[in-house]
Amino acid sequence: MAKILYNDPKGFLPAFDIAAQGAQSEVLRILRKGEALGNPDELRPAAVQKGFVHVRVNVCGSPLEFPESSPSIGKVRVKHRGILLTLKGTVIRSGGVKMIEGEREYQCRKCNHRFPCYPELEAGNRITLPASCPSMRSKGCQSASFQLIGDSITCHDYQEIKIQESVQLLDVGSIPRSMPVILMDDLVDLVKAGDDVIVTGILSAKWSSDVKDVRCNLDPMFIANYVRRTNELKSGIDIPEEIIKDFELFWAENRATPLEGRNKILKGICLLRFLGYSR
C-alpha cells in the first residue's frame, strides 16, 4: 500500500476519498436506522453529512517516511514530480481564503450523455472540454457540441501559502529556497505566517500565462494533502520534574548575578557544540 501510494498518489488519493465518502454514507445510514428503531423521545445529536471528505496521509512513523520522500525544499527537482513528498519549512506568506471551481457537468446535445469536467490547477484552473462525446455506447457519439448543466458547478475553499526551508539547516552562504503550497477544503486557514510546518502532498507545476511570442515557463507548486504545525509539537513537550527543579535551583543560586548565570549556560552550549553534540 505504501509503495503504490508513494508512486501514484494522484491516482490513489481520490480513490481513498471515494472510499471515505462511502464509509460516511454507511455510518449515516446505520445511525438513521437506529434512530428510526429507537425511542423517539430520546434526544440524540443530529448526524450531519460532510460535503467534502478527504483521507489525509500523515507519513510520520510509517514506511513512507524515508530520506528520498523528504528532500529539503532547495533540493526538490523534476524527479520528485508526481510522487508523494513531505516538505518541512516555515510559512513566510499566507494568502486569503478564496473559492475555486472543482467540477462542472456537461450534457451532449446529440445523445444527452452527461459527464463531469474537472478544471486543471496546472492551467490556471481552466476547463478543457473533450474533442468528442465521451459516451461509451457501442456505436459511439462523435458530437462535439455540449451544454453546461445548470447548478452543477461545485466549488472548494482554496488558499495559497509559501513555505521556506529553515535557515538553521543551510550551509554558510546558502540562500533559503521557498515553495508555493496549495491548500484546499479542510486544510485552509490551518497555518499562518511564521508557523513551522510539515506538508505532505504532490509536486506539480503551473503554466505561466500564455502570451504571444513569449516563452511559456512552468512554475513549481505543491498541492497539499496533509499539513501539520510543528509549533504545537514543540509547546507540547513534557519536561521532567527533575529538570525543572535543576533550573529553579540554578537560577536561585544566580539570582543576584543573572548575567553570570546566562554566561554559564552559553559557555556550556558552546562546549557541547565544540565537542560535536550539535543536538
Side-chain angles (χ1 to χ4, degrees):
M1 179 66 73
K3 183 177 180 180
I4 63 174
L5 186 57
Y6 170 73
N7 288 318
D8 188 17
K10 196 170 183 179
F12 281 92
L13 286 175
F16 288 178
D17 291 347
I18 293 173
Q21 291 166 9
Q24 177 187 230
S25 299
E26 180 65 16
V27 170
L28 290 174
R29 186 189 67 81
I30 294 173
L31 287 175
R32 288 164 183 163
K33 183 178 179 181
E35 291 173 356
L37 298 175
N39 185 1
D41 298 329
E42 184 180 353
L43 295 177
R44 298 183 182 180
V48 179
Q49 185 165 2
K50 189 175 180 180
F52 301 108
V53 182
H54 301 282
V55 174
R56 303 301 183 189
V57 181
N58 180 5
V59 303
C60 183
S62 75
L64 288 167
E65 188 179 28
F66 56 96
E68 289 78 7
S69 68
S70 304
S72 63
I73 296 176
K75 294 183 179 179
V76 172
R77 298 291 184 268
V78 173
K79 66 179 181 180
H80 296 116
R81 186 171 181 263
I83 61 177
L84 193 68
L85 287 182
T86 298
L87 303 180
K88 300 178 182 179
T90 303
V91 180
I92 59 173
R93 190 182 70 195
S94 178
V97 178
K98 305 176 183 178
M99 278 200 311
I100 193 170
E101 190 175 331
E103 180 182 341
R104 282 187 182 187
E105 193 172 358
Y106 285 86
Q107 180 174 332
C108 176
R109 296 181 187 273
K110 182 178 180 181
C111 68
N112 295 326
H113 172 68
R114 292 190 175 191
F115 58 93
C117 281
Y118 303 94
E120 299 178 56
L121 284 173
E122 294 83 355
N125 217 48
R126 183 173 54 197
I127 288 182
T128 303
L129 292 174
S132 61
C133 178
S135 173
M136 302 301 291
R137 296 180 180 181
S138 56
K139 293 183 179 180
C141 175
Q142 302 300 320
S143 174
S145 178
F146 313 112
Q147 65 178 4
L148 175 66
I149 298 176
D151 300 327
S152 67
I153 298 177
T154 301
C155 293
H156 299 263
D157 290 326
Y158 175 91
Q159 184 183 27
E160 289 189 18
I161 65 173
K162 181 173 283 190
I163 61 174
Q164 180 178 279
E165 56 187 336
S166 178
V167 179
Q168 289 81 0
L169 302 178
L170 298 176
D171 297 330
V172 177
S174 299
I175 300 175
R177 306 295 181 182
S178 60
M179 176 73 67
V181 178
I182 292 177
L183 308 178
M184 296 183 68
D185 294 330
D186 55 308
L187 297 182
V188 303
D189 229 13
L190 285 183
V191 297
K192 60 183 183 299
D195 286 340
D196 295 326
V197 295
I198 298 176
V199 186
T200 299
I202 306 171
L203 177 67
S204 187
K206 180 185 293 187
W207 291 96
S208 59
S209 57
D210 46 351
V211 181
K212 186 178 180 180
D213 298 329
V214 176
R215 184 178 64 180
C216 189
N217 296 320
L218 280 171
D219 299 322
M221 65 176 183
F222 198 71
I223 304 174
N225 167 267
Y226 172 79
V227 178
R228 181 179 61 177
R229 291 175 56 191
T230 56
N231 307 50
E232 297 175 347
L233 299 179
K234 293 177 182 177
S235 61
I237 296 175
D238 293 328
I239 302 176
E241 189 66 28
E242 56 270 18
I243 299 296
I244 296 176
K245 291 181 178 179
D246 287 343
F247 268 91
E248 291 175 348
L249 179 61
F250 174 83
W251 286 113
E253 294 174 350
N254 293 274
R255 183 177 292 111
T257 55
L259 290 180
E260 289 186 10
R262 181 205 63 176
N263 291 339
K264 291 178 183 178
I265 294 176
L266 294 176
K267 184 178 179 180
I269 294 174
C270 292
L271 179 61
L272 289 175
R273 295 280 293 185
F274 176 75
L275 295 175
Y277 298 97
S278 59
R279 294 183 64 186

